[in-house]
Amino acid sequence: ETGVTQTPRHLVMGMTNKKSLKCEQHLGHNAMYWYKQSAKKPLELMFVYNFKEQTENNSVPSRFSPECPNSSHLFLHLHTLQPEDSALYLCASSQDIGRYNSPLHFGNGTRLTVT
Amino acid sequence: KNEVEQSPQNLTAQEGEFITINCSYSVGISALHWLQQHPGGGIVSLFMLSSGKKKHGRLIATINIQEKHSSLHITASHPRDSAVYICAVARETSGSRLTFGEGTQLTVNP
C-alpha cells in the first residue's frame, strides 16, 4: 500500500473516446502531481496542484484536462487522444511544493494505450 | 543534453555482485533523490540526500556536491533488486518539483 492509489491500472481507448484517470492519496498531503512516462524517456511533469489550486501546467495539450476537487483527489480527463499519448501516467503527492525535503509519494500508475 | 544523466542505461549482474549506478547533474540542487521502479510501474523513494552518504540495508547512496555527482551502490545483489533505478534532483529554485534522469535498468540473474 503506497498511500497513493491510481485507477484504473490499465486503460485502452480509441482516439475518439473520453475517459478519466483517478488518483487518491490518504497521506494528508497538500500537493498532487501528474507525470507522464514514455518508453526510454525521463518522467515528464504535466500538472501540479497545491491546496487544490493548479500551480503548474507544463505546456500540456488541451486534450488532457486535470481536475482537483480537494487535496486528496486528482483526476486527469482524456479526450481525442493520439497514439503517441500512449504511456504510463503516474500520480504523486507531497506534503507541499515549497520544500525541497518534502519527498514525493507515487502511485502505481495507469498504463494507457491509445488505439 | 539532459540536466540529469545516468550511467549505465542498462546493467546486468550475477547474484551477489556489487553494483554501482552513477548520476551526474548540471544544475544547482537542494537535494538528490534515488528512486526504484518495479515492472508494475510504481515508484518508491529509496534515498533523499543533500550531502555525504546514506545507507539502508544493502543500499548505499553517496553525493559529491562539488563534482555534481552521486552514486547508488547495491551490495550482495539479489534478483529481487531487478528494477529501474532513477536519479532525480530538486533544483534550488523548484522546491519539491523534481528533474529526472532516464533511469538505469538493472537485471540481477540468479
Side-chain angles (χ1 to χ4, degrees):
Chain A
E1 174 58 53
T2 65
V4 179
T5 303
Q6 288 187 242
T7 54
R9 290 297 310 276
H10 302 272
L11 178 62
V12 179
M13 60 186 289
M15 288 191 284
T16 58
N17 290 159
K18 289 185 180 181
K19 296 287 184 183
S20 295
L21 310 186
K22 180 182 176 183
C23 177
E24 186 173 358
Q25 57 97 1
H26 305 281
L27 300 168
H29 289 167
N30 299 312
M32 297 188 78
Y33 311 75
W34 279 117
Y35 285 92
K36 176 183 178 182
Q37 188 179 35
S38 304
K40 306 297 183 187
K41 293 173 83 173
L43 271 78
E44 302 170 53
L45 180 65
M46 299 175 72
F47 301 104
V48 182
Y49 278 82
N50 196 38
F51 292 95
K52 303 189 302 178
E53 299 298 320
Q54 186 179 128
T55 59
E56 190 161 341
N57 175 339
N58 202 23
S59 303
V60 180
S62 59
R63 57 186 184 269
F64 295 90
S65 175
E67 179 189 1
C68 189
N70 54 62
S71 292
S72 299
H73 294 86
L74 185 64
F75 296 89
L76 188 62
H77 304 299
L78 315 171
H79 63 97
T80 58
L81 294 192
Q82 305 298 312
E84 59 265 29
D85 297 322
S86 298
L88 180 69
Y89 289 85
L90 287 154
C91 173
S93 70
S94 67
Q95 185 59 50
D96 63 52
I97 62 172
R99 292 183 292 167
Y100 73 91
N101 60 350
S102 181
L104 289 177
H105 294 253
F106 286 87
N108 286 326
T110 294
R111 176 70 63 186
L112 173 67
T113 303
V114 181
T115 61
Chain B
K1 183 170 162 54
N2 292 341
E3 292 176 340
V4 180
E5 296 276 353
Q6 287 185 235
S7 63
Q9 287 188 322
N10 295 282
L11 180 57
T12 300
Q14 286 301 119
E15 184 173 356
E17 287 184 358
F18 181 84
I19 287 162
T20 296
I21 300 170
N22 296 299
C23 176
S24 296
Y25 53 93
S26 57
V27 294
I29 69 168
S30 302
L32 182 142
H33 297 248
W34 282 102
L35 309 165
Q36 181 190 56
Q37 185 174 31
H38 278 282
I43 295 176
V44 175
S45 178
L46 298 175
F47 294 104
M48 179 174 65
L49 64 166
S50 52
S51 65
K53 175 179 173 178
K54 287 190 176 180
K55 184 176 189 291
H56 186 258
R58 294 180 294 106
L59 302 178
I60 303 166
T62 64
I63 188 168
N64 184 318
I65 295 293
Q66 286 72 31
E67 295 186 4
K68 291 187 163 60
H69 181 268
S70 175
S71 293
L72 176 68
H73 306 286
I74 305 176
T75 62
S77 60
H78 190 277
R80 64 175 174 267
D81 297 325
S82 299
V84 176
Y85 292 84
I86 302 171
C87 172
V89 301
R91 298 165 125 212
E92 285 172 326
T93 55
S94 297
S96 63
R97 289 191 287 283
L98 301 180
T99 302
F100 295 84
E102 291 185 7
T104 295
Q105 173 69 61
L106 172 65
T107 303
V108 182
N109 294 317

